[in-house]
Amino acid sequence: RTIRVWLKRDSGQYWPSIYHTMSSPCSAMAYHHDSRRTFVGQDNGAIMEFHISEDFNKMNFVKTYPAHQNRVSAITFCLTSEWVISTGHDKCISWMCTRSGSMLGRHYFTSWASCLQYDYETRHAFVGDYSGQITLLKLEQNTCSVITTLKGHEGSITSLWWDPVQRLLFSGASDHSIIMWDIGGRKGRTLLLQGHHDKVQAICYLQLTRQLVSCSADGGIAVWNMDISREEAPQWLESDSCQKCEQPFFWNIKQMWDTKTLGLRQHHCRKCGQAVCGKCSTKRSSYPIMGFEFQVRVCDSCFESIKDEDRTSLATFHEGKHNISHMSMDISRGLMVTCGSDRIVKIWDMTPVVGCSLATGFSSR
């Protein structure tokens, strides 16, 4: 139930300079560096604002916002409009005025709202929920409009990252996968990335180096190379019989009766998307250019078409050694902070992995 500020001492060790005990467990936080304003969401639905002194040795309470009726899941603060925007387990997004502390607007979803990203220029909000859906909203002073909904994950959305320069949205989910949505392209282009063994809990896109950093509940940290031309995973095709050998699937009663054969189980080739039987898809292969860093089912003909160089990994994988529940990147210094369910906060030097040249804004350390 505490919020703490840790300072690095001359010895190189971090020590808590100040802490504040909250009335309810903390569930989300947003920190605005320039104004040193901190917004802390709680399990009881309230958001508390604090102002941290210039020397980071004092924390002053400002006000409490009655934002939600249940746990706050994500917060963002917009200085230009003086809005604090948040999502919660009461299935809504709310935006409140930080000057008056009053509620400006709310919008409800059918599931818990789990994560949030916000475009400060256009006032577009991206909200992921537990049903696996992402909703794009345009927020106005006292109302909002739904622009579109994005459906592609088979599990709840756990993390979002919006890049306003390239207008790319990245989403991580409990189905262990990441999807890149090309919002700016307006062509509905999506790229699938599969490289984790558990739910993806935090993501960050480095626009300067065209790299995506993702962290998982299995402790894995992946750095994806997005500066290449990747292929979209195909839509799975539906068929009543194998599209290779034409044997019927088990629900195709008529063809089973006509051919006097038993129906087979349906599978899908991850490379071409065709519906195939087990005998026509006996092989497994990785195919990183389509986002498959692990071996996945492919039909026998696609397996023959995949060359050895096509299997070269397009991501690097690192062991975080704790269940990573949250991650934050300081892109200017190449530093990453992770905190896990083991209550340990780790600070990582990411410059060897994501580059350390003047062109990228990183400095050698």
Side-chain angles (χ1 to χ4, degrees):
R1 298 191 178 205
T2 61
I3 171 174
R4 297 171 183 255
V5 176
W6 298 75
L7 292 181
K8 189 177 184 180
R9 305 301 184 185
D10 293 338
S11 62
Q13 296 293 314
Y14 283 87
W15 293 91
S17 63
I18 45 174
Y19 75 92
H20 183 88
T21 303
M22 312 288 280
S23 59
S24 179
C26 307
S27 56
M29 183 171 70
Y31 173 65
H32 189 262
H33 178 71
D34 293 338
S35 63
R36 296 188 306 282
R37 295 164 75 176
T38 301
F39 300 85
V40 183
Q42 301 173 82
D43 273 4
N44 62 11
I47 296 174
M48 294 181 72
E49 180 185 349
F50 297 91
H51 182 263
I52 299 173
S53 63
E54 196 169 342
D55 61 1
F56 294 96
N57 279 308
K58 192 175 182 182
M59 187 186 304
N60 295 311
F61 169 74
V62 179
K63 62 168 69 79
T64 299
Y65 302 88
H68 297 276
Q69 300 298 315
N70 207 324
R71 172 184 288 186
V72 181
S73 56
I75 307 171
T76 189
F77 169 61
C78 180
L79 182 63
T80 53
S81 59
E82 286 286 346
W83 286 1
V84 57
I85 308 157
S86 59
T87 55
H89 284 194
D90 55 356
K91 303 180 182 179
C92 84
I93 178 175
S94 70
W95 54 107
M96 303 188 69
C97 176
T98 54
R99 293 191 183 95
S100 63
S102 60
M103 178 70 67
L104 297 175
R106 271 200 181 107
H107 178 81
Y108 285 88
F109 307 95
T110 56
S111 299
W112 286 355
S114 52
C115 45
L116 166 71
Q117 286 284 283
Y118 183 66
D119 188 290
Y120 297 97
E121 289 188 10
T122 63
R123 291 188 175 183
H124 284 122
F126 301 89
V127 181
D129 63 38
Y130 271 75
S131 72
Q133 182 172 286
I134 301 167
T135 305
L136 172 55
L137 301 161
K138 175 66 181 286
L139 303 186
E140 305 291 352
Q141 187 67 27
N142 296 109
T143 184
C144 72
S145 54
V146 176
I147 305 300
T148 188
T149 55
L150 306 174
K151 299 177 182 179
H153 285 287
E154 296 178 2
S156 57
I157 310 298
T158 52
S159 51
L160 290 173
W161 185 273
W162 169 245
D163 174 43
V165 178
Q166 289 186 276
R167 303 193 66 75
L168 300 174
L169 178 71
F170 296 88
S171 58
S174 59
D175 60 7
H176 309 179
S177 67
I178 302 164
I179 295 179
M180 186 199 85
W181 311 84
D182 188 358
I183 305 296
R186 299 187 181 279
K187 296 178 181 177
R189 183 168 175 260
T190 59
L191 294 178
L192 178 68
L193 303 173
Q194 291 187 334
H196 290 287
H197 296 282
D198 206 335
K199 58 183 176 182
V200 180
Q201 304 213 107
I203 49 180
C204 175
Y205 179 63
L206 311 179
Q207 202 275 331
L208 288 166
T209 59
R210 303 291 199 275
Q211 289 172 299
L212 177 73
V213 180
S214 59
C215 299
S216 169
D218 62 9
I221 300 170
V223 181
W224 306 82
N225 178 10
M226 304 302 294
D227 195 25
I228 55 167
S229 178
R230 289 179 176 267
E231 293 180 17
E232 283 189 78
Q235 292 288 330
W236 284 5
L237 303 176
E238 294 302 323
S239 176
D240 291 329
S241 57
C242 175
Q243 294 180 296
K244 296 294 183 182
C245 69
E246 298 184 354
Q247 288 290 306
F249 294 131
F250 62 82
W251 60 81
N252 190 349
I253 305 298
K254 183 179 185 303
Q255 189 178 346
M256 286 165 56
W257 177 264
D258 292 343
T259 58
K260 301 297 188 290
T261 56
L262 287 173
L264 303 174
R265 184 182 173 191
Q266 178 183 265
H267 300 284
H268 284 94
C269 172
R270 301 306 192 270
K271 187 176 184 295
C272 67
Q274 287 191 321
V276 291
C277 67
K279 292 180 181 178
C280 295
S281 57
T282 58
K283 302 290 195 300
R284 302 287 186 276
S285 176
S286 61
Y287 196 52
I289 200 167
M290 203 174 274
F292 300 116
E293 293 287 340
F294 300 146
Q295 291 197 346
V296 292
R297 181 186 293 272
V298 293
C299 65
D300 293 353
S301 57
C302 281
F303 182 83
E304 296 298 327
S305 69
I306 299 174
K307 302 172 184 176
D308 287 340
E309 54 265 31
D310 294 335
R311 297 185 175 92
T312 303
S313 179
L314 297 176
T316 59
F317 298 93
H318 314 271
E319 180 53 57
K321 295 184 179 178
H322 66 160
N323 177 336
I324 299 172
S325 55
H326 183 77
M327 173 265 284
S328 180
M329 285 280 293
D330 182 345
I331 297 172
S332 63
R333 291 187 292 170
L335 294 177
M336 180 176 76
V337 175
T338 60
C339 55
S341 56
D342 54 5
R343 297 186 292 180
I344 293 176
V345 177
K346 295 184 179 181
I347 301 175
W348 304 79
D349 178 9
M350 296 294 286
T351 52
V353 180
V354 298
C356 52
S357 66
L358 293 174
T360 63
F362 296 156
S363 58
S364 298
R365 299 179 67 251

